[in-house]
Amino acid sequence: MPPEDRPTNSVSGTVHVPVVQVGGDVHGGIHFHAAPEISWPVRVGVVPREADCYQSRPADAALSCGLTVLVGTGGVGKTQTAARHARGAGHDVVVWVTATTTQTVLAGYAEAAARLLLAEPGTGVTTAATRFLSWLQTAERTWLIVLDDVVDPAAMRGLWPSGSGQTLVTTRRRDSSILRADANVVDVTIFSAEQSESYLAAKLAAHPRLHAGAATLAAAVHHLPLALAQAVAYLVDRGLTCHQYVDRFQHQRLTALAPEPSGLPDDHRATVAVTWSLSIGLATSLAPLAKPMLQLASLLDPHGVPTAVLTNETILRGADGDDAADTVRCLHRLGLVELSTDGRMVTMHPLVQRVTREDMTAAELAGLAHPAAFALAALWETDPLDPALVPSLRANTSALMAAALHHLVGPGCHAVLFACGENLRRAGLLADARQHYEQVLRLAHPLLGGEHEEVLFIRISLANIRGDLGDIGGAVEEFSRLRDDCHRALGADHHLSLGARGNLANRQLEAGDVSGALAAFAELLADQTRLLGPYAEQTLTVRNNLAHARSAAGDTTGAIVELERLLDDLRRVYGPFHPTTLLSRANLASNRADAGDVAGAVVEFEGLAQEYERLLGTDHKDTLTARINLAAHRAKSGEFHRAITELEQLVHDCTNALGAGHPRTVLAWGLLEEGRQAVRHLSDTDHGQT
């Protein structure tokens, strides 16, 4: 071959195929292999299949471009929400990565790099992942990256996608490194009652016999989608109705109610109990106080535990307050609890509580019951007690009683039990107070004995509630027995013996036994003066009650004289603004009105209402009582229209502050109706004269 016809070992111009340089002569045919091409669209990773009977959620419509973070507690359906979006996405590139560790993220990115021909076979995983992230920054193709179940933000260090595409994250974590300022944060919550109902109806459509009790089941598992799905799998496989499942749910451990691993629905990787146990384990590894704090919260109200209870020094066990506050924040970041915006309240899903409780030993429960009670009692004793906090304290005390009452009774009833009961009684929630004390008494009586001081106190409280509910005769009978029982068990001079006698005299007066009440008060006054002195608060209270009995007996003049002396003593001993002093002023004004000085009583009650409002605020029960007395005496003085106007406002204020069933609200309603009837009667009389 002439030299000029021989092939040269060089290439020039634009080449669109792979080139192999060879030396020497080439014999035979030459074959050109085309470069591999990318098949669009590119799909990397396994997107979970749609859950059976999927329920559309508000979060489905809240996904947008850029970084979107689906955050929520375990089992609410974050992954399913992300999967539905990924399946419907029309992007050129969709990459689904299980982001539980750095290694799984790198592996997902490396696979995407290979599919996009950004890395040759044999390229290291880290190098391939870096090339993929670089490609995302400048890619003209549309892309979606789903990072499912980010457990540890540190695992994503240096691996966050950036560019003009969309990144979708699912996580329980609320760390600032994930919930960035430029992120679209979407809270995925539990099902609504309607969604739960729709889900169960669809799942059990082929098993109509099993549907009975579906609403009860949904409420029992607190509308958690994961728990609903696993409950249905369990009951269908066993032919149980929803009612039968709930019965087992209430009496068996969660681990006993899980489907077998082969029976987990919708590709679930773990049962409800295991799902939460893993998170609890992570929390314990991050914060030493996490376990006792979670255990404590599991004994209290899931709808709101005051943060002050969780960080109380009785719980800290030697740790400082900063450690406790940091632990609460840690549990919030991990999705195990929810912290209110103002940081004052912590909520915890009831199923997380149950998993935590069922993992506790008997010794751990016993060791936490009293610290929890002390922390609650410390808030009950706050003065002035925050009215917004009281319902939460009642709910938390009730929850603690349900979880650990037997640890709070014996060798004596814990103070928190009495704090809650007395608060319910003073608030006029008499049925709730009665139920509370009856529950404590059922356990305390056999444990402590019928003559134990605290058992007798519970009986005194129940007898008073009985009277307040209108059974005056029954209250008199019970206080007669209590007087004798206290005398025999504790002695005649014990404060409960004296208290039983005072309560008996009060109820006798209410029952119309005025002479019996007068004699009982006179005897009690002599004994209390001897035992406590003439100026002890209990002695002064009996003097006030004795004067009231004299007034009821028709000796208004004698009552006024006694109340004037009592008021002088109270002002000297306790000062002009002590509650007992103010109460004595009110009694004196009422008696003066009964003696004919209604105008003077109105002036006195006007002053009292102003004093109470200045000292206690507009919504305090004593302020409202003073206003009721003022309006009632205005009506007595003939100022019906002004009294009606004041009573209409009082009904509104009492209802808002105390509740519609509170005795003061009921009294205000009654006085209002009396005033309106009086005005109608006057109008009818004037009409007749015309």
Side-chain angles (χ1 to χ4, degrees):
M1 176 183 297
E4 64 273 13
D5 294 331
R6 293 176 182 172
T8 60
N9 194 18
S10 64
V11 178
S12 63
T14 303
V15 180
H16 298 282
V17 295
V19 175
V20 179
Q21 289 182 287
V22 297
D25 297 335
V26 178
H27 303 279
I30 299 176
H31 301 279
F32 295 91
H33 297 280
E37 295 184 359
I38 301 172
S39 178
W40 304 98
V42 173
R43 298 290 183 262
V44 178
V46 179
V47 178
R49 64 174 178 169
E50 183 165 285
D52 191 24
C53 302
Y54 181 89
Q55 300 295 302
S56 295
R57 316 285 288 281
D60 291 332
L63 308 184
S64 60
C65 294
L67 173 61
T68 297
V69 181
L70 297 174
V71 64
T73 192
V76 293
K78 302 180 295 296
T79 295
Q80 277 293 322
T81 301
R84 166 167 276 213
H85 182 71
R87 282 191 297 270
H91 299 81
D92 297 326
V93 178
V94 175
V95 180
W96 183 281
V97 177
T98 300
T100 51
T101 66
T102 299
Q103 289 69 31
T104 58
V105 177
L106 287 172
Y109 287 177
E111 183 182 350
R115 295 282 300 279
L116 292 168
L117 305 182
L118 302 173
E120 303 80 10
T123 303
V125 172
T126 302
T127 301
T130 301
R131 291 181 185 177
F132 174 64
L133 289 171
S134 297
W135 180 84
L136 292 177
Q137 291 178 342
T138 58
E140 296 180 358
R141 295 277 184 171
T142 60
W143 53 263
L144 166 67
I145 312 298
V146 180
L147 300 168
D148 183 41
D149 196 17
V150 174
V151 175
D152 182 1
M156 291 299 303
R157 189 170 293 119
L159 297 177
W160 290 102
S162 63
S164 59
Q166 182 180 16
T167 301
L168 185 56
V169 177
T170 73
T171 184
R172 303 178 201 183
R173 301 287 295 255
R174 294 183 176 273
D175 303 68
S176 58
S177 57
I178 297 179
L179 307 186
R180 297 162 32 128
D182 60 349
N184 172 34
V185 179
V186 179
D187 282 303
V188 184
T189 60
I190 59 176
F191 279 165
S192 65
E194 293 75 20
Q195 287 171 326
S196 294
E197 181 180 344
S198 176
Y199 174 78
L200 290 173
K203 287 288 288 184
L204 297 174
H207 310 278
R209 183 184 66 82
L210 307 183
H211 189 267
T216 305
L217 187 155
V221 300
H222 300 275
H223 306 285
L224 185 71
L226 179 71
L228 280 168
Q230 294 186 4
V232 170
Y234 180 92
L235 66 88
V236 168
D237 288 346
R238 288 159 180 78
L240 302 174
T241 66
C242 291
H243 272 311
Q244 290 171 321
Y245 176 86
V246 171
D247 184 63
R248 293 192 184 189
F249 183 85
Q250 292 172 341
H251 297 97
Q252 298 183 25
R253 292 174 64 88
L254 281 180
T255 51
L257 296 169
E260 293 81 5
S262 61
L264 288 173
D266 302 324
D267 296 329
H268 292 176
R269 295 190 290 267
T271 64
V272 170
V274 171
T275 296
W276 286 111
S277 294
L278 292 172
S279 293
I280 293 168
L282 175 60
T284 303
S285 69
L286 293 177
L289 287 176
K291 184 177 180 179
M293 191 172 287
L294 280 171
Q295 290 176 331
L296 174 67
S298 75
L299 304 179
L300 300 171
D301 180 28
H303 305 296
V305 180
T307 307
V309 171
L310 298 181
T311 56
N312 185 277
E313 60 183 7
T314 61
I315 309 300
L316 301 183
R317 300 176 182 176
D320 63 34
D322 288 342
D323 287 340
D326 289 346
T327 301
V328 173
R329 289 283 177 182
C330 175
L331 296 176
H332 173 69
R333 293 202 320 271
L334 294 175
L336 287 165
V337 303
E338 293 285 334
L339 190 60
S340 64
T341 304
D342 61 8
R344 297 181 63 191
M345 300 295 290
V346 171
T347 58
M348 186 177 184
H349 193 280
L351 288 183
V352 185
Q353 286 190 313
R354 183 161 171 178
V355 169
T356 306
R357 283 198 306 270
E358 290 183 353
D359 194 44
M360 291 171 65
T361 65
E364 287 173 327
L365 175 60
L368 279 170
H370 273 267
F374 278 117
L376 287 171
L379 286 183
W380 275 115
E381 294 168 4
T382 302
D383 188 23
L385 193 63
D386 183 355
L389 190 60
V390 169
S392 175
L393 290 177
R394 293 173 187 154
N396 277 280
T397 303
S398 178
L400 182 60
M401 289 172 61
L405 179 58
H406 56 291
H407 292 296
L408 302 178
V409 177
C413 297
H414 196 283
V416 75
L417 302 176
F418 298 114
C420 183
E422 291 307 294
N423 178 270
L424 289 168
R425 189 165 73 88
R426 288 195 301 271
L429 302 173
L430 301 177
D432 292 337
R434 179 175 60 186
Q435 182 180 10
H436 172 88
Y437 276 122
E438 287 176 344
Q439 183 182 1
V440 177
L441 184 62
R442 279 193 296 270
L443 187 59
H445 193 280
L447 278 177
L448 306 179
E451 295 187 345
H452 191 279
E453 179 176 341
E454 289 170 352
V455 171
L456 292 168
F457 177 82
I458 294 170
R459 287 179 56 197
I460 288 173
S461 298
L462 282 169
N464 267 320
I465 292 168
R466 188 173 182 175
D468 291 343
L469 286 170
D471 184 8
I472 306 301
V476 169
E477 292 177 4
E478 179 60 14
F479 275 122
S480 296
R481 287 189 290 268
L482 275 163
R483 175 194 58 193
D484 298 338
D485 292 345
C486 289
H487 186 283
R488 182 179 62 257
L490 306 174
D493 293 342
H494 191 276
H495 70 90
L496 285 186
S497 299
L498 299 173
R501 290 169 59 190
N503 279 298
L504 173 59
N506 278 319
R507 297 303 177 179
Q508 285 176 315
L509 186 60
E510 287 182 283
D513 183 7
V514 179
S515 60
L518 274 169
F521 279 131
E523 292 175 7
L524 181 60
L525 179 59
D527 289 338
Q528 286 196 329
T529 302
R530 172 177 56 84
L531 293 167
L532 306 175
Y535 301 118
E537 186 172 358
Q538 298 93 323
T539 305
L540 294 171
T541 299
V542 174
R543 285 177 60 188
N544 180 79
N545 292 340
L546 179 58
H548 183 54
R550 284 176 177 161
S551 176
D555 184 10
T556 305
T557 302
I560 290 173
V561 170
E562 176 57 32
L563 285 170
E564 288 175 339
R565 292 172 181 166
L566 174 62
L567 185 56
D568 289 340
D569 290 341
L570 287 169
R571 283 174 171 151
R572 184 175 65 257
V573 175
Y574 293 114
F577 306 120
H578 189 275
T580 307
T581 306
L582 296 176
L583 177 61
S584 182
R585 283 177 59 187
N587 288 335
L588 179 57
S590 293
N591 276 276
R592 284 174 173 165
D594 291 341
D597 186 10
V598 179
V602 168
V603 173
E604 180 65 12
F605 278 118
E606 284 178 337
L608 277 168
Q610 293 170 1
E611 291 289 359
Y612 275 116
E613 183 169 349
R614 180 179 62 82
L615 293 169
L616 303 175
T618 56
D619 293 333
H620 192 279
K621 60 182 179 61
D622 291 344
T623 305
L624 295 170
T625 301
R627 290 171 57 195
I628 290 172
N629 281 325
L630 172 59
H633 284 85
R634 282 200 199 282
K636 282 185 178 181
S637 71
E639 294 183 83
F640 291 113
H641 292 289
R642 186 172 179 181
I644 288 172
T645 300
E646 291 180 356
L647 286 166
E648 286 173 341
Q649 184 63 46
L650 269 165
V651 167
H652 176 271
D653 293 346
C654 287
T655 301
N656 286 343
L658 307 175
H662 193 280
R664 286 170 178 79
T665 308
V666 174
L667 176 60
W669 266 114
L671 290 171
L672 177 59
E673 284 304 309
E674 287 179 10
R676 287 170 172 170
Q677 288 177 7
V679 169
R680 284 195 293 270
H681 176 71
L682 288 174
S683 177
D684 292 343
T685 302
D686 291 343
H687 245 11
Q689 290 175 346
T690 302

